[in-house]
Amino acid sequence: MSPRLYLLQRGTAMVMVPLVIIHLVVIVMAVQGGLTGGEILGRTRGNIAWAAFYSLFVFAAAIHAGIGMQTISREWFGLGNRSATIAGHLFILLLLSLGMRAVFGVYGI
Amino acid sequence: MSAAAEKTLQVEVWRGGTDGAYESFEVPAQENQTVLDVVTYIQRNLDAALAYRFACRVGVCGSCAMTVNGRPRWTCRTHVSRVAKNGELKLAPLQNLPLIRDLVTDMTPFFEKWQAARGRFVPGDGPKDRFAQVPPEEKQRADANAAIECINCGVCYSACDVVSWRDDYLGPAALNRAWAGYNDVRDGDRNGILKAVSSGAGCHTCHTHQSCAEHCPVSLNPTFSIAGLKRATLKASLKGELSE
C-alpha cells in the first residue's frame, strides 16, 4: 500500500467517525415514538442536507472498503497486485452504485 | 542423580525438508535445562545427523530460533520448565522462511529484506563539514535506542501473519531496523530510507497485529517502529519528498 492509499483509507475512516455517530443518534432519537417507512421518507424526500450527508457517507465508505478489499484480495485470496487493484476498484463501484441508489431513493429522485 | 534428572522429556523434532515429518526422542530431564540443551543432547547422543543452528548460547547472536510448541522462540534462553507441557516438547523450524533441513531455515530472504528496507548506514558529508551532535535525551536518539538492540533472530518475522500472507512484505525486523536508521541524524540519506519502506509491500502493509512485539525475545516493539515509519512517510509524501 502506498502512502497515498494509506492516507485515503485513514482519512475516510476519520470522515466516517462523526457520520456514523450522527447516523446512529438520529435513528435512536427518531424511532422513540415508533416510525414508519413513510414517515422517514417524508422527512428525507427533498431534503438536500440529508442527501449531501449520506452521499458523503457513501463515498467515504466505498473508498475505505475498496482499499480494504484490495488488501484482502491480495493477502487472503492470493490475487496479484494488478488483479487485487481491479478487485478493489470494482468493489468501490459496487458500493458507490448501491449506496447512491439508496441516497437517490430517500431523497426522492 | 536427583529425582528430576531421572525423568525424561518426550521431544518431537521436525526432520527433513518440507515433505518431512516429526520424529520422537526421549531426552533426560534436568532441573535447569534450555530447549537448546535438549536439541544439543539429541544431536550429540541420539542422532548426529540432526541439523540445527546455534553459536553464542547466551542470547546475543540470534541464530538458534525455532518453533517451540507452536511459538517462535530463542531456544538458548528458553527454559524447558517454562514451555514444556506434561514433559512434552514439539520442535519445528521457523515459519515464513524456506526450510533447508530439520530445524535449519534459509535466512537469505530475511536479510535481503533488511537491504531492501535500506537497513544500512549511508555516510553523510563527513566530520570535516558536519559533525553531528546527538544528545542522549533527544527524541530521535531515544527512538533509535529503543529499536537498535535487535539480534536478527527472525522470531518476529516467523510470528508475523502479514509475512505469511505476502512473501514480498519487508517484515517487522527490517522495518524496525529502518526506523532505527531513520532516527540516526548522521545518516546521509534518511529520505532514501523512507522511499525504501514506502514502496511495494513496505511499512503500510503492516496490520498492527503486534505479534512481533509479543514474541520478540529482547522485548523490542517493531510495531511501534513501523507506526513511526508510517507517520514519517506520510509527512514526507504530503511534502512531495517521496517522488523520484
Side-chain angles (χ1 to χ4, degrees), chain B residues 138-183:
Chain B
E138 192 181 72
K139 185 178 185 310
Q140 280 187 304
R141 181 68 185 89
D143 284 344
N145 207 36
I148 201 70
E149 296 292 349
C150 174
I151 58 171
N152 320 343
C153 62
V155 163
C156 61
Y157 190 84
S158 177
C160 178
D161 287 331
V162 184
V163 174
S164 71
W165 296 329
R166 293 193 61 169
D167 59 7
D168 58 342
Y169 173 46
L170 291 174
L175 292 169
N176 179 71
R177 170 62 206 165
W179 177 241
Y182 175 71
N183 283 294

Side-chain angles (χ1 to χ4, degrees), chain B:
Chain B
M1 187 179 283
S2 68
E6 293 165 7
K7 293 180 183 172
T8 57
L9 297 166
Q10 299 300 319
V11 188
E12 300 258 308
V13 182
W14 184 263
R15 302 304 305 271
T18 49
D19 57 347
Y22 285 98
E23 186 178 349
S24 296
F25 295 94
E26 209 164 86
V27 176
Q30 308 288 337
E31 281 187 38
N32 276 311
Q33 187 177 29
T34 66
V35 175
L36 183 61
D37 291 336
V38 170
V39 179
T40 300
Y41 180 90
I42 294 171
Q43 199 265 342
R44 292 189 180 168
N45 299 285
L46 304 177
D47 188 345
L50 175 65
Y52 70 114
R53 195 183 272 137
F54 77 97
C56 75
R57 299 177 298 161
V58 289
V60 175
C61 73
S63 58
C64 69
M66 300 170 199
T67 305
V68 181
N69 285 357
R71 283 177 66 109
R73 295 180 181 277
W74 55 353
T75 56
C76 68
R77 298 284 296 270
T78 301
H79 280 255
V80 170
S81 59
R82 204 155 55 85
V83 294
K85 292 168 186 161
N86 304 318
E88 293 174 3
L89 281 177
K90 195 166 193 176
L91 307 179
L94 287 179
Q95 301 292 302
N96 299 337
L97 288 159
L99 177 59
I100 296 176
R101 183 166 71 87
D102 298 346
L103 300 171
V104 179
T105 52
D106 180 1
M107 302 292 284
T108 306
F110 177 74
F111 289 113
E112 281 179 346
K113 288 178 179 178
W114 275 56
Q115 294 299 319
R118 237 303 310 278
R120 62 189 178 280
F121 182 72
V122 172
D125 297 333
K128 72 179 174 61
D129 302 319
R130 182 178 62 86
F131 195 92
Q133 291 187 1
V134 186
E137 68 278 8
E138 192 181 72
K139 185 178 185 310
Q140 280 187 304
R141 181 68 185 89
D143 284 344
N145 207 36
I148 201 70
E149 296 292 349
C150 174
I151 58 171
N152 320 343
C153 62
V155 163
C156 61
Y157 190 84
S158 177
C160 178
D161 287 331
V162 184
V163 174
S164 71
W165 296 329
R166 293 193 61 169
D167 59 7
D168 58 342
Y169 173 46
L170 291 174
L175 292 169
N176 179 71
R177 170 62 206 165
W179 177 241
Y182 175 71
N183 283 294
D184 185 348
V185 295
R186 302 166 306 154
D187 194 288
D189 183 24
R190 294 169 63 225
N191 208 41
I193 297 174
L194 297 185
K195 285 180 183 173
V197 300
S198 60
S199 61
C203 61
H204 302 98
T205 307
C206 170
H207 285 261
T208 321
H209 289 161
Q210 303 203 55
S211 284
C212 51
E214 169 73 19
H215 290 82
C216 178
V218 289
S219 302
L220 300 186
N221 191 341
T223 309
F224 179 85
S225 299
I226 295 168
L229 288 174
K230 286 175 179 173
R231 287 193 302 274
T233 50
L234 194 57
K235 284 179 192 167
S237 175
L238 292 174
K239 290 178 186 171
E241 294 171 355
L242 295 185
S243 51
E244 292 299 331

Side-chain angles (χ1 to χ4, degrees), chain A residues 6 9 11 15 38 42-43 52 57 71 73-74 78 93 96 98-99 106:
Chain A
Y6 177 79
Q9 200 178 31
V15 167
R43 293 178 191 183
F57 207 148
T71 302
S73 301
R74 195 176 286 132
L93 286 177
L96 273 181
L98 291 174
V106 294

Side-chain angles (χ1 to χ4, degrees), chain A residues 1 4-14 64-65 67-68:
Chain A
M1 186 187 290
R4 186 178 61 88
L5 283 183
Y6 177 79
L7 179 62
L8 258 180
Q9 200 178 31
R10 295 309 188 271
T12 49
M14 288 169 70
H64 185 83
I67 296 170

Side-chain angles (χ1 to χ4, degrees), chain A residues 93-109:
Chain A
L93 286 177
L94 176 69
L95 292 183
L96 273 181
S97 57
L98 291 174
M100 289 313 294
R101 183 168 170 264
V103 171
F104 291 153
V106 294
Y107 182 66
I109 294 176

Side-chain angles (χ1 to χ4, degrees), chain A residues 11 20 24 84 89 101-102 104:
Chain A
V20 168
L24 293 177
H89 281 85
R101 183 168 170 264
F104 291 153

